[in-house]
Amino acid sequence: MEVSNKSYIIPTLEKEVSFSTFDNDSYLVSQEKYNYEVNISKQTYQILNLVNGKNTLEGITIIFNSNNNLSITSEVVYQLLYNKLSKYGIITNKNVVVQPLSRASYLKLSTIIIPARIVNKTANLFTFLFNTFTLKAITLLTLVFSLIIGVNYYHLLKPFINDLSEVSFSFILPITFIGIFIHELGHAAAAKHYGINSRGIGFGFYLFSPVFFADVTKAWRLKPKQRVVIDLAGIYFELIYISFLLFIFLITKEVNFLLVSFILFVDIIYNLDPFLRTDGYWVVSDGLKIPNLRKQSLDKLKLFFKKMTTKSSIIFSKKDWFLVIYALASLSFIAVFVVGLLIWNSDSVLYFPINLYHFVKDILTGEMNDWSLENLTTITLPLVFYYLLISITYKSLKKKKNK
């Protein structure tokens, strides 16, 4: 917006913009039309409250400075409103074309496969499972039941683990995919319990792996404890489904039901990882009221190293120290994975294209005799390694280009 005297501009809020409290130190701006949920500070919230279609930039600046005993300029307010917030469709700016938010940036090639109308109608049938007593009782019972059956019958899975030719993929894949869908339905049902509609269940790629997701972006408007329940709801529903499969196994003695239960239990453990963008990550983020956990932790780690090298007098709070430790643990997790893979299984990295070709060919021809869960890691682990390599390289080049 090119105006000779910015002080006399009268900013206006876009339609379908609403505000809600996020935590003690910040607020959430919701833009319904473009699907944005933007976390803002108290001071930004105060400024936006002064945007009423009548106050000029100068008037907003004067009132804000008077209320907060500050001396910011109209230029600072202009930059905030028109350069930072207008791109989210919060402030009207004819010179900016607002791009609607489709999906989270870490999900690639994502698309909705089950529309919101069907998901919300189905999710509404299961909201009763989130009554406090019901939730606790079922979680405890399903977890104990699954562990008891798993411990007592795990020995039956050894033939499958050592030889994938014994696995009936046509049997276990559909049942496994149903479990994954039920996981995502759990997130949607929990959101519905708290009055939030899902935008549908979709499919995309994360770390080169195909993933399903439930779009419950509006859950940011809820209280942290409610968001944590939504974060864990997928695992909760998955435990119920696993218990159901194990019950069928006990009746039929069909080991494939036990195998699917094992696969889904591994999926639960994976989803509890706090360093990847899985349910565990969001539990930490929401439970500690830290949006953009990864970015904030890395920024705090940089500040920590700056403090150490320059011997500055920056004071860290308990939250700051947690972010530093989290960033170090997250980076260490990646470093141990990469270094360990290069040292102990470097051949899988070097011969990954060949191994992938043979794996796909053997699946298509049904010749899985040479494959086991152990040597299947020659495909999965290098896949993650190359994703990290490409991702880090791309971000480094992009950062270098922007300088």
Side-chain angles (χ1 to χ4, degrees), residues 303-304 306-307 310-316 320:
L303 186 61
F304 169 74
K306 181 180 179 181
K307 171 183 171 72
T310 61
K311 296 182 179 180
S312 63
S313 57
I314 302 173
I315 299 174
F316 275 29
D320 295 334

Side-chain angles (χ1 to χ4, degrees), residues 106-362:
Y106 59 88
L107 289 174
K108 309 302 179 184
L109 303 175
S110 60
T111 184
I112 293 294
I113 56 175
I114 305 178
R117 179 178 58 83
I118 296 175
V119 172
N120 289 315
K121 192 173 181 179
T122 307
N124 195 47
L125 300 174
F126 300 98
T127 54
F128 72 94
L129 291 171
F130 293 94
N131 296 326
T132 304
F133 176 78
T134 305
L135 175 63
K136 292 179 179 179
I138 292 179
T139 300
L140 180 61
L141 290 172
T142 54
L143 184 59
V144 171
F145 176 71
S146 300
L147 290 174
I148 290 174
I149 301 301
V151 169
N152 282 280
Y153 291 96
Y154 175 75
H155 64 280
L156 297 178
L157 296 177
K158 289 184 179 179
F160 296 94
I161 293 174
N162 296 327
D163 185 0
L164 289 182
S165 64
E166 298 289 330
V167 176
S168 175
F169 287 100
S170 61
F171 183 93
I172 69 168
L173 286 179
I175 300 176
T176 302
F177 278 121
I178 291 173
I180 295 172
F181 165 74
I182 288 174
H183 177 109
E184 302 308 330
L185 181 63
H187 293 305
K192 190 71 175 177
H193 174 73
Y194 294 118
I196 296 294
N197 283 326
S198 166
R199 290 168 57 196
I201 290 177
F203 176 83
F205 288 86
Y206 175 56
L207 296 180
F208 284 136
S209 299
V211 293
F212 288 88
F213 63 90
D215 191 337
V216 289
T217 309
K218 293 180 181 179
W220 281 111
R221 305 173 190 182
L222 300 173
K223 296 176 181 179
K225 288 184 179 179
Q226 294 173 327
R227 296 200 303 271
V228 169
V229 172
I230 294 174
D231 297 335
L232 292 172
I235 291 173
Y236 173 46
F237 268 44
E238 210 165 352
L239 278 172
I240 295 173
Y241 183 63
I242 288 172
S243 297
F244 172 72
L245 294 178
L246 290 175
F247 180 72
I248 295 178
F249 159 71
L250 290 176
I251 296 175
T252 64
K253 302 303 179 184
E254 173 55 64
V255 183
N256 280 299
F257 286 112
L258 183 64
L259 179 60
V260 175
S261 300
F262 173 75
I263 292 170
L264 292 175
F265 203 81
V266 171
D267 180 61
I268 286 177
I269 295 173
Y270 164 76
N271 271 295
L272 288 172
D273 189 326
F275 303 121
L276 301 176
R277 300 269 188 163
T278 55
D279 296 340
Y281 171 88
W282 297 113
V283 168
V284 176
S285 176
D286 291 331
L288 298 177
K289 306 176 185 177
I290 307 175
N292 301 315
L293 173 60
R294 176 160 296 161
K295 183 180 183 303
Q296 283 204 53
S297 65
L298 291 175
D299 288 344
K300 200 63 66 175
L301 183 61
K302 292 176 184 176
L303 186 61
F304 169 74
F305 284 124
K306 181 180 179 181
K307 171 183 171 72
M308 297 298 291
T309 54
T310 61
K311 296 182 179 180
S312 63
S313 57
I314 302 173
I315 299 174
F316 275 29
S317 64
K318 290 182 179 179
K319 178 182 175 181
D320 295 334
W321 282 115
F322 168 80
L323 288 171
V324 170
I325 294 170
Y326 177 86
L328 288 171
S330 180
L331 293 174
S332 299
F333 176 79
I334 296 172
V336 168
F337 168 79
V338 172
V339 174
L341 184 63
L342 291 175
I343 292 176
W344 288 293
N345 205 354
S346 58
D347 286 349
S348 67
V349 176
L350 294 173
Y351 297 105
F352 170 69
I354 298 173
N355 291 335
L356 182 61
Y357 166 76
H358 285 297
F359 178 68
V360 174
K361 182 171 78 72
D362 289 345

